[in-house]
Amino acid sequence: MCNSSSITQFLLLPFTDTRELQLLHFWLFLGIYLAALLGNGLIITTIACDQHLHTPMYFFLLNLALLDLGSISTTVPKSMANSLWDTRAISYSGCAAQLFFFFFCATAEYSLLTIMSYDRYVAICKPLHYGTLLGSKACVHMAAAAWATGFLYALLHTANTFSLPLCKGNALDQFFCEIPQILKLSCSQSYSREAGLLVVSVCLGFGCFVFIVVSYVQILRAVLRIPSEQGRHKAFATCLPHLAVVSLFVSTGMFAHLKPPSISSPSLDLVVSVLYSVVPPAVNPLIYSMRNQELKDANKMSHAWTL
């Protein structure tokens, strides 16, 4: 038995013990990471440099890209380094930092996706009030609220989780530091406070999910009332990328944490954790770029200027 005061490092779950497969994992994650850096970096620079994209929708998209960069940079580089150097270790402080930043990015991103659904609702259902309800000051306040919510929640959960006495070793069944895995190492009955915080977080998350669903029900009803087919297509085109990103974010996260124990296994848990922690930040730029003509045009213009 060991307690938290004697733990100086945690052992992360490796993807494989075979050296060749470890190197394959390193190169695969390197490719995904570089794709995420390139995709999100292009979105950030394109929106920042193009005056035509200085609108509420693209302002929120820029914030989303920043959070995606933060999220994938929290988990993937350490996993790559461990595979490259054939180790499982992460320091106690490194684990706390990883948990904080991942929880911060995930919470802020979910808050931002909720705000973006409100942006689409106002744009389609109340277009005459769009400039009033989503002025530059209001957008900055909403984005700041999303970032602040992520920071406060991450600080609260990280401080509470790492204040628990740990007496079940230091091996985590995950390739990065995550609250449920650390709670498994805590002494019996000592994690009720953190479990209570997680329940409150789930309730608030469900409230955001209901808000998103209600927003899109209203959007769908408004779009179906548009007389022209071209108008309906344009309205759907502005909403589909956001809807796809929300669906990917929510479905992978829910499956990872709510799947029945009967189908749970270390290998399946590892695959699912990659789906919700690594895939969305890499795929989100592709989703937005494929369905957004304005972003495509802005990228072409910036490319033309460089030639």
Side-chain angles (χ1 to χ4, degrees), residues 3 12 29-30 34 59 70 103 106 116 127 132 137 154 238 257 270 281 283 287 293 300 307:
N3 56 48
L12 300 174
F29 263 35
L30 178 63
L34 291 177
F59 172 73
F103 203 91
M116 291 172 78
T132 305
K137 192 173 289 187
T238 63
H257 296 103
L270 207 55
V283 172
I287 293 173
Q293 192 60 43
K300 287 177 182 177
L307 291 178

Side-chain angles (χ1 to χ4, degrees), residues 21-303:
L21 293 178
Q22 286 177 339
L23 293 175
L24 177 63
H25 161 249
F26 168 80
W27 288 111
L28 178 63
F29 263 35
L30 178 63
I32 294 173
Y33 186 54
L34 291 177
L37 289 180
L38 178 63
N40 287 291
L42 275 174
I43 285 180
I44 291 167
T45 53
T46 301
I47 294 173
C49 297
D50 194 322
Q51 291 287 335
H52 296 98
L53 300 181
H54 290 182
T55 63
M57 183 177 77
Y58 291 107
F59 172 73
F60 294 133
L61 181 56
L62 184 147
N63 279 267
L64 183 69
L66 286 170
L67 288 169
D68 278 337
L69 279 180
S71 175
I72 199 167
S73 296
T74 299
T75 58
V76 169
K78 179 59 181 173
S79 181
M80 287 165 50
N82 280 5
S83 286
L84 184 62
W85 303 116
D86 191 18
T87 180
R88 297 176 55 192
I90 183 172
S91 67
Y92 187 90
S93 58
C95 186
Q98 193 177 64
L99 187 149
F100 172 83
F101 283 111
F102 183 77
F103 203 91
F104 163 62
C105 291
T107 304
E109 182 164 337
Y110 190 47
S111 302
L112 194 65
L113 288 171
T114 306
I115 293 168
M116 291 172 78
S117 70
Y118 173 71
D119 166 70
R120 292 299 82 209
Y121 165 76
V122 175
I124 292 174
C125 300
K126 299 180 182 293
L128 297 179
H129 302 285
Y130 189 73
T132 305
L133 295 174
L134 284 157
S136 57
K137 192 173 289 187
C139 290
V140 170
H141 288 165
M142 285 189 280
W147 287 77
T149 300
F151 177 82
L152 291 174
Y153 260 83
L155 186 64
L156 185 64
H157 282 284
T158 304
N160 204 42
T161 300
F162 281 90
S163 68
L164 299 174
L166 306 179
C167 53
K168 296 180 182 177
N170 66 339
L172 302 176
D173 293 329
Q174 182 61 285
F175 78 95
F176 65 96
C177 291
E178 197 179 31
I179 291 175
Q181 301 303 325
I182 295 175
L183 291 183
K184 289 181 181 179
L185 305 180
S186 64
C187 302
S188 178
Q189 305 302 321
S190 64
Y191 56 82
S192 57
R193 186 173 57 184
E194 176 57 26
L197 280 174
L198 286 174
V199 169
V200 172
S201 299
V202 169
C203 291
L204 290 173
F206 181 73
C208 290
F209 178 72
V210 171
F211 182 89
I212 292 170
V213 170
V214 171
S215 297
Y216 270 98
V217 168
Q218 296 298 319
I219 288 170
L220 182 62
R221 290 173 62 187
V223 169
L224 292 177
R225 288 197 298 265
I226 297 174
S228 69
E229 185 179 344
Q230 186 179 3
R232 288 195 299 270
H233 177 77
K234 186 176 180 181
F236 274 127
T238 63
C239 295
L240 282 177
H242 175 259
L243 193 58
V245 168
V246 170
S247 300
L248 181 65
F249 185 89
V250 173
S251 61
T252 53
M254 286 180 66
F255 182 74
H257 296 103
L258 300 178
K259 66 182 183 297
S262 58
I263 66 168
S264 184
S265 67
S267 57
L268 177 63
D269 292 347
L270 207 55
V271 171
V272 171
S273 65
V274 170
L275 286 178
Y276 80 86
S277 63
V278 177
V279 172
V283 172
N284 287 352
L286 186 63
I287 293 173
Y288 272 101
S289 299
M290 283 177 64
R291 297 294 304 177
N292 196 302
Q293 192 60 43
E294 288 179 308
L295 268 180
K296 288 181 182 177
D297 293 341
N299 272 321
K300 287 177 182 177
M301 287 182 65
S302 62
H303 180 66

